[in-house]
mmCIF file of all heavy atoms in Angstrom:
data_model
loop_
_atom_site.group_PDB
_atom_site.id
_atom_site.type_symbol
_atom_site.label_atom_id
_atom_site.label_comp_id
_atom_site.label_asym_id
_atom_site.label_seq_id
_atom_site.Cartn_x
_atom_site.Cartn_y
_atom_site.Cartn_z
ATOM 1 N N GLY A 1 0.820 -1.213 0.000
ATOM 2 C CA GLY A 1 0.000 0.000 0.000
ATOM 3 C C GLY A 1 0.845 1.250 0.000
ATOM 4 O O GLY A 1 0.542 2.223 -0.696
ATOM 5 N N ALA A 2 1.934 1.232 0.775
ATOM 6 C CA ALA A 2 2.840 2.380 0.818
ATOM 7 C C ALA A 2 3.498 2.605 -0.547
ATOM 8 O O ALA A 2 3.646 3.746 -0.992
ATOM 9 C CB ALA A 2 3.899 2.173 1.891
ATOM 10 N N THR A 3 3.863 1.517 -1.222
ATOM 11 C CA THR A 3 4.459 1.626 -2.554
ATOM 12 C C THR A 3 3.460 2.209 -3.544
ATOM 13 O O THR A 3 3.794 3.103 -4.332
ATOM 14 C CB THR A 3 4.943 0.249 -3.041
ATOM 15 O OG1 THR A 3 5.942 -0.229 -2.146
ATOM 16 C CG2 THR A 3 5.506 0.316 -4.449
ATOM 17 N N ALA A 4 2.230 1.712 -3.507
ATOM 18 C CA ALA A 4 1.197 2.212 -4.419
ATOM 19 C C ALA A 4 0.911 3.689 -4.165
ATOM 20 O O ALA A 4 0.805 4.484 -5.107
ATOM 21 C CB ALA A 4 -0.084 1.390 -4.258
ATOM 22 N N LEU A 5 0.817 4.066 -2.901
ATOM 23 C CA LEU A 5 0.535 5.462 -2.560
ATOM 24 C C LEU A 5 1.704 6.367 -2.959
ATOM 25 O O LEU A 5 1.486 7.471 -3.471
ATOM 26 C CB LEU A 5 0.240 5.589 -1.065
ATOM 27 C CG LEU A 5 -0.364 6.905 -0.611
ATOM 28 C CD1 LEU A 5 -1.664 7.207 -1.345
ATOM 29 C CD2 LEU A 5 -0.593 6.878 0.885
ATOM 30 N N ALA A 6 2.926 5.903 -2.764
ATOM 31 C CA ALA A 6 4.093 6.689 -3.169
ATOM 32 C C ALA A 6 4.098 6.902 -4.681
ATOM 33 O O ALA A 6 4.434 7.992 -5.167
ATOM 34 C CB ALA A 6 5.372 5.994 -2.722
ATOM 35 N N HIS A 7 3.713 5.874 -5.421
ATOM 36 C CA HIS A 7 3.641 6.016 -6.882
ATOM 37 C C HIS A 7 2.568 7.027 -7.279
ATOM 38 O O HIS A 7 2.808 7.898 -8.130
ATOM 39 C CB HIS A 7 3.361 4.662 -7.537
ATOM 40 C CG HIS A 7 3.120 4.773 -9.002
ATOM 41 N ND1 HIS A 7 4.125 5.042 -9.911
ATOM 42 C CD2 HIS A 7 1.976 4.695 -9.724
ATOM 43 C CE1 HIS A 7 3.608 5.111 -11.121
ATOM 44 N NE2 HIS A 7 2.308 4.910 -11.027
ATOM 45 N N LEU A 8 1.391 6.927 -6.674
ATOM 46 C CA LEU A 8 0.324 7.883 -6.974
ATOM 47 C C LEU A 8 0.777 9.310 -6.690
ATOM 48 O O LEU A 8 0.513 10.229 -7.476
ATOM 49 C CB LEU A 8 -0.937 7.560 -6.167
ATOM 50 C CG LEU A 8 -1.707 6.318 -6.576
ATOM 51 C CD1 LEU A 8 -2.836 6.054 -5.591
ATOM 52 C CD2 LEU A 8 -2.249 6.467 -7.992
ATOM 53 N N ARG A 9 1.454 9.500 -5.575
ATOM 54 C CA ARG A 9 1.954 10.823 -5.209
ATOM 55 C C ARG A 9 2.992 11.310 -6.238
ATOM 56 O O ARG A 9 2.961 12.462 -6.667
ATOM 57 C CB ARG A 9 2.558 10.791 -3.817
ATOM 58 C CG ARG A 9 3.133 12.115 -3.374
ATOM 59 C CD ARG A 9 3.574 12.065 -1.927
ATOM 60 N NE ARG A 9 2.619 12.710 -1.059
ATOM 61 C CZ ARG A 9 2.439 14.029 -0.992
ATOM 62 N NH1 ARG A 9 3.143 14.830 -1.756
ATOM 63 N NH2 ARG A 9 1.561 14.541 -0.184
ATOM 64 N N ALA A 10 3.887 10.425 -6.644
ATOM 65 C CA ALA A 10 4.948 10.803 -7.585
ATOM 66 C C ALA A 10 4.398 11.235 -8.941
ATOM 67 O O ALA A 10 4.925 12.172 -9.556
ATOM 68 C CB ALA A 10 5.924 9.648 -7.768
ATOM 69 N N VAL A 11 3.355 10.567 -9.410
ATOM 70 C CA VAL A 11 2.838 10.879 -10.745
ATOM 71 C C VAL A 11 1.755 11.957 -10.733
ATOM 72 O O VAL A 11 1.267 12.354 -11.789
ATOM 73 C CB VAL A 11 2.321 9.611 -11.486
ATOM 74 C CG1 VAL A 11 3.447 8.617 -11.675
ATOM 75 C CG2 VAL A 11 1.140 8.988 -10.773
ATOM 76 N N THR A 12 1.394 12.434 -9.543
ATOM 77 C CA THR A 12 0.369 13.480 -9.472
ATOM 78 C C THR A 12 0.865 14.688 -8.693
ATOM 79 O O THR A 12 1.215 15.707 -9.284
ATOM 80 C CB THR A 12 -0.928 12.951 -8.832
ATOM 81 O OG1 THR A 12 -0.657 12.470 -7.508
ATOM 82 C CG2 THR A 12 -1.552 11.855 -9.663
ATOM 83 N N ILE A 13 0.920 14.581 -7.390
ATOM 84 C CA ILE A 13 1.225 15.726 -6.533
ATOM 85 C C ILE A 13 2.638 16.244 -6.782
ATOM 86 O O ILE A 13 2.860 17.456 -6.833
ATOM 87 C CB ILE A 13 0.999 15.359 -5.049
ATOM 88 C CG1 ILE A 13 -0.500 15.110 -4.825
ATOM 89 C CG2 ILE A 13 1.519 16.463 -4.122
ATOM 90 C CD1 ILE A 13 -0.875 14.605 -3.460
ATOM 91 N N ASP A 14 3.602 15.348 -6.946
ATOM 92 C CA ASP A 14 4.985 15.764 -7.140
ATOM 93 C C ASP A 14 5.332 16.071 -8.606
ATOM 94 O O ASP A 14 6.453 16.463 -8.899
ATOM 95 C CB ASP A 14 5.935 14.685 -6.612
ATOM 96 C CG ASP A 14 5.803 14.492 -5.112
ATOM 97 O OD1 ASP A 14 5.317 15.410 -4.422
ATOM 98 O OD2 ASP A 14 6.179 13.408 -4.622
ATOM 99 N N ARG A 15 4.388 15.895 -9.506
ATOM 100 C CA ARG A 15 4.620 16.134 -10.930
ATOM 101 C C ARG A 15 4.663 17.634 -11.208
ATOM 102 O O ARG A 15 3.830 18.396 -10.713
ATOM 103 C CB ARG A 15 3.493 15.500 -11.742
ATOM 104 C CG ARG A 15 3.630 15.666 -13.222
ATOM 105 C CD ARG A 15 2.478 14.984 -13.933
ATOM 106 N NE ARG A 15 2.592 15.144 -15.376
ATOM 107 C CZ ARG A 15 1.638 14.858 -16.224
ATOM 108 N NH1 ARG A 15 0.484 14.365 -15.784
ATOM 109 N NH2 ARG A 15 1.801 15.031 -17.507
ATOM 110 N N ARG A 16 5.634 18.039 -11.993
ATOM 111 C CA ARG A 16 5.757 19.440 -12.387
ATOM 112 C C ARG A 16 5.585 19.550 -13.895
ATOM 113 O O ARG A 16 6.131 18.747 -14.645
ATOM 114 C CB ARG A 16 7.119 19.998 -11.991
ATOM 115 C CG ARG A 16 7.405 19.947 -10.498
ATOM 116 C CD ARG A 16 6.447 20.852 -9.723
ATOM 117 N NE ARG A 16 6.654 20.718 -8.288
ATOM 118 C CZ ARG A 16 5.813 20.104 -7.476
ATOM 119 N NH1 ARG A 16 4.711 19.555 -7.941
ATOM 120 N NH2 ARG A 16 6.051 20.050 -6.197
ATOM 121 N N LEU A 17 4.828 20.532 -14.311
ATOM 122 C CA LEU A 17 4.602 20.771 -15.733
ATOM 123 C C LEU A 17 5.386 21.997 -16.177
ATOM 124 O O LEU A 17 5.566 22.941 -15.407
ATOM 125 C CB LEU A 17 3.115 20.975 -16.004
ATOM 126 C CG LEU A 17 2.196 19.821 -15.602
ATOM 127 C CD1 LEU A 17 0.746 20.226 -15.792
ATOM 128 C CD2 LEU A 17 2.513 18.584 -16.404
ATOM 129 N N GLY A 18 5.816 21.981 -17.401
ATOM 130 C CA GLY A 18 6.549 23.111 -17.946
ATOM 131 C C GLY A 18 5.626 24.244 -18.338
ATOM 132 O O GLY A 18 4.394 24.114 -18.319
ATOM 133 N N PRO A 19 6.222 25.371 -18.702
ATOM 134 C CA PRO A 19 5.423 26.543 -19.067
ATOM 135 C C PRO A 19 4.594 26.342 -20.333
ATOM 136 O O PRO A 19 3.653 27.101 -20.584
ATOM 137 C CB PRO A 19 6.467 27.642 -19.259
ATOM 138 C CG PRO A 19 7.747 26.930 -19.487
ATOM 139 C CD PRO A 19 7.650 25.616 -18.773
ATOM 140 N N GLU A 20 4.906 25.305 -21.110
ATOM 141 C CA GLU A 20 4.156 25.059 -22.344
ATOM 142 C C GLU A 20 2.870 24.265 -22.091
ATOM 143 O O GLU A 20 2.080 24.056 -23.011
ATOM 144 C CB GLU A 20 5.032 24.312 -23.359
ATOM 145 C CG GLU A 20 5.274 22.844 -23.034
ATOM 146 C CD GLU A 20 6.284 22.589 -21.910
ATOM 147 O OE1 GLU A 20 6.973 23.508 -21.455
ATOM 148 O OE2 GLU A 20 6.356 21.434 -21.479
ATOM 149 N N ALA A 21 2.635 23.859 -20.861
ATOM 150 C CA ALA A 21 1.447 23.055 -20.542
ATOM 151 C C ALA A 21 0.176 23.845 -20.826
ATOM 152 O O ALA A 21 0.056 25.027 -20.473
ATOM 153 C CB ALA A 21 1.480 22.620 -19.090
ATOM 154 N N SER A 22 -0.755 23.174 -21.459
ATOM 155 C CA SER A 22 -2.022 23.827 -21.787
ATOM 156 C C SER A 22 -2.887 23.974 -20.543
ATOM 157 O O SER A 22 -2.690 23.286 -19.539
ATOM 158 C CB SER A 22 -2.778 23.008 -22.832
ATOM 159 O OG SER A 22 -3.213 21.778 -22.259
ATOM 160 N N GLU A 23 -3.859 24.851 -20.645
ATOM 161 C CA GLU A 23 -4.794 25.027 -19.534
ATOM 162 C C GLU A 23 -5.559 23.734 -19.270
ATOM 163 O O GLU A 23 -5.798 23.370 -18.120
ATOM 164 C CB GLU A 23 -5.772 26.164 -19.834
ATOM 165 C CG GLU A 23 -6.727 26.425 -18.688
ATOM 166 C CD GLU A 23 -7.682 27.572 -18.953
ATOM 167 O OE1 GLU A 23 -7.383 28.422 -19.814
ATOM 168 O OE2 GLU A 23 -8.724 27.602 -18.291
ATOM 169 N N ALA A 24 -5.903 23.018 -20.333
ATOM 170 C CA ALA A 24 -6.621 21.752 -20.177
ATOM 171 C C ALA A 24 -5.777 20.741 -19.403
ATOM 172 O O ALA A 24 -6.281 20.049 -18.514
ATOM 173 C CB ALA A 24 -7.011 21.186 -21.540
ATOM 174 N N LEU A 25 -4.486 20.658 -19.717
ATOM 175 C CA LEU A 25 -3.606 19.734 -19.008
ATOM 176 C C LEU A 25 -3.451 20.150 -17.548
ATOM 177 O O LEU A 25 -3.473 19.302 -16.646
ATOM 178 C CB LEU A 25 -2.238 19.655 -19.688
ATOM 179 C CG LEU A 25 -1.221 18.714 -19.030
ATOM 180 C CD1 LEU A 25 -1.754 17.283 -18.972
ATOM 181 C CD2 LEU A 25 0.095 18.767 -19.766
ATOM 182 N N LEU A 26 -3.311 21.444 -17.302
ATOM 183 C CA LEU A 26 -3.201 21.926 -15.925
ATOM 184 C C LEU A 26 -4.437 21.560 -15.113
ATOM 185 O O LEU A 26 -4.325 21.112 -13.967
ATOM 186 C CB LEU A 26 -2.996 23.444 -15.907
ATOM 187 C CG LEU A 26 -1.657 23.944 -16.435
ATOM 188 C CD1 LEU A 26 -1.695 25.468 -16.587
ATOM 189 C CD2 LEU A 26 -0.524 23.508 -15.539
ATOM 190 N N ARG A 27 -5.604 21.702 -15.710
ATOM 191 C CA ARG A 27 -6.844 21.350 -15.009
ATOM 192 C C ARG A 27 -6.933 19.845 -14.768
ATOM 193 O O ARG A 27 -7.359 19.398 -13.706
ATOM 194 C CB ARG A 27 -8.058 21.833 -15.798
ATOM 195 C CG ARG A 27 -8.196 23.335 -15.807
ATOM 196 C CD ARG A 27 -9.379 23.776 -16.679
ATOM 197 N NE ARG A 27 -9.467 25.196 -16.772
ATOM 198 C CZ ARG A 27 -10.092 25.974 -15.886
ATOM 199 N NH1 ARG A 27 -10.676 25.436 -14.840
ATOM 200 N NH2 ARG A 27 -10.131 27.271 -16.041
ATOM 201 N N PHE A 28 -6.528 19.057 -15.740
ATOM 202 C CA PHE A 28 -6.550 17.604 -15.620
ATOM 203 C C PHE A 28 -5.633 17.147 -14.483
ATOM 204 O O PHE A 28 -6.027 16.355 -13.625
ATOM 205 C CB PHE A 28 -6.116 16.969 -16.946
ATOM 206 C CG PHE A 28 -6.023 15.476 -16.906
ATOM 207 C CD1 PHE A 28 -7.170 14.692 -16.888
ATOM 208 C CD2 PHE A 28 -4.792 14.844 -16.884
ATOM 209 C CE1 PHE A 28 -7.083 13.306 -16.851
ATOM 210 C CE2 PHE A 28 -4.699 13.466 -16.852
ATOM 211 C CZ PHE A 28 -5.848 12.689 -16.829
ATOM 212 N N VAL A 29 -4.407 17.660 -14.471
ATOM 213 C CA VAL A 29 -3.448 17.268 -13.437
ATOM 214 C C VAL A 29 -3.918 17.743 -12.066
ATOM 215 O O VAL A 29 -3.761 17.028 -11.069
ATOM 216 C CB VAL A 29 -2.038 17.804 -13.777
ATOM 217 C CG1 VAL A 29 -1.067 17.612 -12.622
ATOM 218 C CG2 VAL A 29 -1.504 17.102 -15.022
ATOM 219 N N GLU A 30 -4.518 18.900 -11.992
ATOM 220 C CA GLU A 30 -5.023 19.378 -10.704
ATOM 221 C C GLU A 30 -6.132 18.467 -10.179
ATOM 222 O O GLU A 30 -6.215 18.213 -8.978
ATOM 223 C CB GLU A 30 -5.528 20.824 -10.819
ATOM 224 C CG GLU A 30 -5.920 21.426 -9.487
ATOM 225 C CD GLU A 30 -4.815 21.391 -8.444
ATOM 226 O OE1 GLU A 30 -3.628 21.486 -8.799
ATOM 227 O OE2 GLU A 30 -5.150 21.254 -7.249
ATOM 228 N N GLY A 31 -6.962 17.946 -11.069
ATOM 229 C CA GLY A 31 -7.983 16.983 -10.653
ATOM 230 C C GLY A 31 -7.353 15.712 -10.105
ATOM 231 O O GLY A 31 -7.813 15.163 -9.095
ATOM 232 N N GLN A 32 -6.288 15.241 -10.755
ATOM 233 C CA GLN A 32 -5.577 14.064 -10.253
ATOM 234 C C GLN A 32 -4.991 14.340 -8.875
ATOM 235 O O GLN A 32 -5.074 13.505 -7.971
ATOM 236 C CB GLN A 32 -4.448 13.674 -11.207
ATOM 237 C CG GLN A 32 -4.922 13.119 -12.529
ATOM 238 C CD GLN A 32 -3.744 12.788 -13.430
ATOM 239 O OE1 GLN A 32 -2.721 13.477 -13.427
ATOM 240 N NE2 GLN A 32 -3.879 11.725 -14.194
#
């Protein structure tokens, strides 16, 4: 469970998008 939660955190909360990210992508990632 800790491994799964760490993965979820890494691909969502800790993910950083570049300045070229679209508004749609920013909204999608924020939902995640």
Side-chain angles (χ1 to χ4, degrees):
T3 299
L5 193 57
H7 173 72
L8 289 174
R9 179 173 258 287
V11 299
T12 59
I13 294 174
D14 296 338
R15 181 179 180 192
R16 300 295 175 252
L17 301 174
E20 73 284 350
S22 68
E23 182 179 339
L25 180 59
L26 291 170
R27 290 177 184 274
F28 176 74
V29 171
E30 186 56 32
Q32 290 179 325

